[in-house]
């Protein structure tokens, strides 16, 4: 009996297993942003910065300090001059009695140096009993400065206080008040010789010009009128 035929087999040679490499594995590749995107973003930032700079440069200048504080700014050519050379401007024309030479008047005054109020009759003064007032200044138009400050103390409804609680006014105020009407307000450019001279006053230095604002409150005519 003939032997049975066995199925044929195909033998393949064995492939060697890969050996582990001692070299380090390469780092993972980072995601890159297309150059077109980064360039567009940079261009947009440049345009935005340029727009902001243009807006800042084209903005109107800051208003003057006097305007920001609510004070009216007067052009130099709008001032009138007295025979003595004092320059003044009537902010408000009064409608009451006129202050004449020899009249006793009540005023409020403010001395402004570089847009800062340095001396003012509106400053409150501490009195007995922890009370305070802002007392108007009383003087005679055309009189010598300072004479009215030597008056005695007076006992009134406001308590015991000096007749002149306000600070010392400049010499120009005794001259420039003449011709004002009650309710009027006047601004004066005070030169050093009619201001506080070589001594100065507070924050007003020696030999300095400044602005003087006067508000006329009351007029008592001269006794012989």
């Amino acid at each position: 009996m003939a032997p049975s035929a066995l199925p044929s087999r195909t033998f393949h040679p064995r492939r060697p297993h890969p050996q582990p490499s001692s070299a380090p594995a390469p780092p993972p590749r980072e995601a890159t942003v297309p150059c077109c995107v980064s360039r567009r973003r940079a261009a947009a930032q440049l345009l935005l910065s340029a727009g902001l700079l243009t807006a800042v440069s084209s903005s109107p200048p800051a208003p003057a300090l006097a305007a920001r504080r609510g004070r009216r700014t007067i052009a130099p050519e709008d001032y009138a001059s007295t025979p003595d050379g004092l320059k003044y401007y009537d902010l408000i024309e009064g409608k009451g009695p006129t202050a004449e030479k020899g009249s006793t008047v009540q005023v409020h005054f403010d001395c402004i140096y570089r847009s800062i109020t340095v001396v003012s009759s509106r400053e409150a003064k501490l009195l007995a009993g922890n009370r305070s007032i802002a007392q108007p200044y009383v003087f005679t138009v055309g009189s010598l400065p300072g004479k009215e400050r030597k008056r005695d103390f007076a006992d009134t409804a406001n308590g015991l206080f000096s007749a002149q609680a306000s600070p010392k006014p400049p010499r120009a105020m005794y001259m420039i008040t003449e011709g004002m009407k009650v309710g009027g307000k006047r601004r004066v450019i005070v030169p050093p010789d009619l201001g506080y001279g070589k001594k100065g006053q507070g924050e007003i230095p020696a030999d300095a010009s400044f602005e003087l604002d006067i508000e006329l409150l009351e007029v008592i005519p001269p006794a012989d009128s």
Side-chain angles (χ1 to χ4, degrees), residues 125-170:
K125 181 175 181 180
L126 188 64
L127 307 175
N130 294 329
R131 290 177 293 173
S132 62
I133 59 171
Q135 182 187 1
Y137 201 84
V138 181
F139 67 98
T140 301
V141 178
S143 65
L144 294 176
K147 182 179 179 180
E148 71 285 345
R149 298 181 62 83
K150 300 179 181 179
R151 292 158 65 180
D152 297 331
F153 283 80
D155 188 8
T156 68
N158 289 326
L160 188 64
F161 64 94
S162 172
Q164 296 297 330
S166 301
K168 179 182 177 181

Side-chain angles (χ1 to χ4, degrees), residues 16-143:
H17 294 286
Q19 299 295 327
S21 176
S22 60
R29 297 180 62 184
E30 296 181 355
T32 58
V33 179
C35 61
C36 59
V37 175
S38 59
R39 290 177 181 175
R40 289 176 182 174
R41 183 176 300 173
Q45 291 178 350
L46 288 175
L47 290 175
L48 180 60
S49 301
L52 290 176
L53 291 175
T54 304
V56 172
S57 60
S58 61
S59 59
L65 181 60
R68 291 202 305 268
R69 296 188 175 183
R71 296 185 66 247
R72 182 178 174 184
T73 303
I74 309 301
E77 60 271 16
D78 291 338
Y79 283 87
S81 297
T82 66
D84 298 325
L86 274 176
K87 295 183 177 181
Y88 69 94
Y89 182 89
D90 285 325
L91 300 169
I92 297 177
E93 295 279 354
K95 299 184 181 300
T98 303
E100 302 174 356
K101 189 174 183 179
S103 301
T104 300
V105 296
Q106 277 192 358
V107 301
H108 266 314
F109 70 91
D110 303 283
C111 298
I112 300 100
Y113 179 71
R114 293 187 176 180
S115 300
I116 298 175
T117 301
V118 178
V119 182
S120 176
S121 63
R122 305 176 194 274
E123 296 176 351
K125 181 175 181 180
L126 188 64
L127 307 175
N130 294 329
R131 290 177 293 173
S132 62
I133 59 171
Q135 182 187 1
Y137 201 84
V138 181
F139 67 98
T140 301
V141 178
S143 65

